[in-house]
Structure formats: C-alpha cells, structure tokens
C-alpha cells in the first residue's frame, strides 16, 4: 500500500484564553499596578486528538461550522502552526492558499508580491518572468493595479492574484481555504478548471469551503470536524449529511426551547394564577 502524503496522529493545538499581554505606557500611567487589563485565563483546545491519513491524488474536504478549527487544521498541515500534541507529517511540497490576504505584504506592489511569494515557493526568477503575464491575466487584475501596493486591493483581488500564482506551482499538495467563495462566475470557472487539471495530474488537495456544491464537485472524501474533534471520516456526501443533520437538530432545539418556556405555568396551580 502506498505511503500517505499527509499523516496526522493525535493532533492537537491549544490557545490561551485571555492571554496576558504587555501593558501600554498609557495604561501604566492611568492605572499603575492596580489593574491587569487581561489576566491569564485557561487554555482552550480548538482541535484535539485528530488522526487521519490522506493518500496521493485524493481531494479531501473539511466540513464543519465556523469556529470549529477547519482553517486551524489546514495551517497545521501547512506548518504555519505547530501542534501542542501529536504530529502531522507531510511528504511533499505544499502550495498553500490559506487566507484572504493570500500571504501578501500590504506594503509591496502586486508585482513585487508575485516575485517574493513565488520565490519563497521555489519559483526561479526566470519562471516567474515567463509566467507573470499569465498570472496577471488569470487574476484579472486591471491595468495599473499590478504596480500598486496591495493594501489598495480588495480582498477579492488579493485572493485572485494569490490563487493565480499558487496554481502555477507544481507542488504535489495544495491546501485551499475558502478561495472559491471570492470572485465572479468567470473567475470561479477558471478556478474550477485549474483544480480539475491539478487533480487530473494526481495531485493531492485539502479544501475548506462553505459551498456544498464545490465540495461535492471536487472532493471524494470528507472530514467532519465538530467541537474540536474529528467525528466522521467518510465519503463527502456522508460527511455533509452528518453535518446538516447536526445543524438541523441544533436549530430545532433552539426553536423548541422558547416554546417550552411559554408553556410553563407562572403560578403554582398551573393556570398562570398564584395558588
């Protein structure tokens, strides 16, 4: 059996709630030593005891509500975050597109960011030069904007340029976080075509998206994450069905609670009158 390209074993990460921070001079002047503006609190585990394997050529969707650790899991796979428990091993170069700002430096121009980020991912200056016009055309960056600082770009422009650049990499593993939620139909079609080409080339992809149609379009497998735990590792339809069933149950419970409260008697005789 082929060795998995991504292997997670007992993966967990903790964040400190109400982490202690350095106090400003203004706070020290006003409050002296009497007030700690952010006392140390307890640790919070957004993810814990996560184990799975992903083989070459698989496209796996991570399913779950906002705040359940989907993006955090992608960042641990990419090596951006270091786990506090367990381990994750990635066998092969990773092309990550993990956030709306696409890893760009806001002070640099679009051209400079393509050169910087491309070189950081192993593209040679010659390759960047050869692919540059194609990257800009794919991203649909209007004339003049490519030489403006990206702080003037919309979030959509940043993502388009980031995806256009990352899709040029030949890395065997790609991590994509909510990129397909940004852009018009024409850009989405370009993204769909690029993803299809990469998957046809037997590359591996881990995808986070709130679009069920996108997940079902590309993914042959789903990891359903709930309350910091991996509760289901199955085909993508089963993972989505489990997620939707839980969402429906939560909504029904919220609806039923106010109805039950209205039915409660306000007096001891059960008729709303005091006994």
């Amino acid at each position: 059996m082929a060795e998995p390209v991504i292997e997670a074993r007992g993966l967990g990460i903790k964040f400190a709630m109400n982490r202690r921070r350095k106090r400003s001079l203004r706070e020290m002047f006003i409050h002296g030593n009497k007030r700690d503006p952010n006392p140390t609190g307890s640790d919070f585990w957004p993810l814990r005891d996560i184990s799975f394997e992903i083989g070459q050529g698989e496209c796996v969707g991570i399913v779950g509500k906002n705040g359940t650790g989907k993006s955090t899991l992608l960042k641990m796979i990419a090596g951006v975050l270091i786990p506090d428990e367990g381990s994750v091993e990635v066998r092969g170069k990773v092309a990550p597109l993990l956030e709306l700002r696409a890893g760009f430096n806001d002070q640099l121009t679009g051209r400079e960011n393509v050169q910087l980020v491309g070189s950081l991912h192993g593209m040679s200056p010659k390759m960047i030069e050869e692919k540059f016009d194609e990257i800009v055309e794919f991203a649909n960056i209007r004339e003049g904007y490519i030489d403006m600082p990206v702080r003037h770009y919309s979030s959509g422009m940043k993502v388009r340029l980031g995806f256009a650049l990352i899709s040029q990499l030949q890395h065997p593993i790609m991590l994509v976080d909510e990129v397909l939620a940004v852009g018009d139909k024409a850009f989405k079609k370009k993204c769909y075509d690029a993803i299809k080409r990469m998957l046809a080339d037997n590359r591996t992809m881990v995808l986070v998206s709130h679009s069920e149609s996108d997940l079902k379009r590309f993914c042959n497998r789903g990891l359903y994450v709930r309350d910091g735990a991996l509760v289901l590792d199955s085909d993508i339809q089963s993972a989505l069905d489990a997620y939707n069933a839980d969402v429906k149950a939560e909504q029904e419970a919220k609806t039923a609670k106010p109805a039950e409260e209205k039915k409660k008697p306000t007096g001891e005789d059960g008729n709303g009158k005091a006994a």
Side-chain angles (χ1 to χ4, degrees):
M1 186 176 177
E3 193 174 42
V5 296
I6 301 174
E7 186 175 4
R9 289 284 175 264
L11 201 59
I13 189 168
K14 64 181 178 181
F15 297 147
M17 296 176 66
N18 299 321
R19 186 187 299 271
R20 212 180 269 275
R21 62 176 170 81
K22 291 183 178 180
R23 301 171 67 185
S24 68
L25 288 174
R26 177 177 176 275
E27 289 173 332
M28 292 175 67
F29 177 77
I30 295 173
H31 303 289
N33 295 323
K34 296 179 181 179
R35 179 176 176 265
D36 187 341
N38 200 357
T40 301
S42 59
D43 291 333
F44 165 66
W45 292 82
L47 291 169
R48 200 165 197 184
D49 196 25
I50 305 289
S51 297
F52 59 85
E53 295 179 356
I54 297 176
Q56 183 177 351
E58 283 194 282
C59 184
V60 179
I62 303 178
V63 179
K65 294 193 302 183
N66 285 338
T68 55
K70 302 188 301 295
S71 296
T72 299
L73 181 54
L74 278 190
K75 289 178 181 178
M76 285 195 286
I77 295 172
V80 175
L81 294 176
I82 307 301
D84 292 295
E85 285 184 350
S87 63
V88 58
E89 186 171 358
V90 180
R91 300 178 178 97
K93 289 185 177 180
V94 175
L97 191 51
L98 300 179
E99 54 187 13
L100 286 180
R101 56 190 304 270
F104 292 153
N105 184 320
D106 282 346
Q107 305 307 312
L108 301 180
T109 66
R111 184 184 301 274
E112 292 167 339
N113 271 294
V114 168
Q115 293 168 344
L116 174 62
V117 176
S119 63
L120 290 175
H121 285 295
M123 295 178 72
S124 66
K126 182 180 179 182
M127 183 180 180
I128 294 172
E129 183 179 356
E130 290 174 348
K131 296 288 186 179
F132 185 80
D133 289 343
E134 186 178 342
I135 291 169
V136 174
E137 190 279 330
F138 187 107
N140 193 26
I141 301 297
R142 286 178 290 171
E143 186 176 355
Y145 271 85
I146 195 63
D147 290 308
M148 291 176 59
V150 298
R151 66 175 179 272
H152 299 304
Y153 288 18
S154 67
S155 59
M157 290 173 64
K158 291 178 187 178
V159 170
R160 294 201 306 271
L161 187 59
F163 186 90
L165 172 60
I166 294 299
S167 65
Q168 293 293 335
L169 302 176
Q170 298 303 308
H171 297 356
I173 302 168
M174 189 155 183
L175 309 177
V176 181
D177 189 358
E178 289 296 351
V179 170
L180 301 179
V182 178
D184 56 19
K185 289 183 178 180
F187 176 71
K188 286 183 179 180
K189 185 178 184 306
K190 290 181 183 179
C191 290
Y192 292 158
D193 292 342
I195 291 173
K196 287 177 181 176
R197 287 196 301 270
M198 287 184 274
L199 294 176
D201 198 29
N202 204 32
R203 294 164 75 176
T204 303
M205 182 174 296
V206 184
L207 175 66
V208 169
S209 174
H210 283 104
S211 169
E212 290 193 14
S213 62
D214 287 345
L215 290 169
K216 289 189 284 189
R217 179 191 296 263
F218 299 113
C219 301
N220 50 19
R221 182 173 155 205
L223 303 178
Y224 175 24
V225 178
R226 184 185 67 205
D227 299 328
L230 177 59
V231 296
L232 185 63
D233 180 352
S234 66
D235 64 276
I236 187 63
Q237 187 62 61
S238 296
L240 289 169
D241 287 345
Y243 165 68
N244 287 325
D246 285 345
V247 170
K248 182 179 179 181
E250 288 180 9
Q251 291 174 341
E252 289 176 347
K254 289 179 181 178
T255 303
K257 190 174 180 180
E260 289 175 1
E261 290 176 351
K262 288 180 181 179
K263 291 179 181 179
K264 286 182 181 179
T266 56
E268 294 181 8
D269 65 355
N271 295 313
K273 298 179 180 180

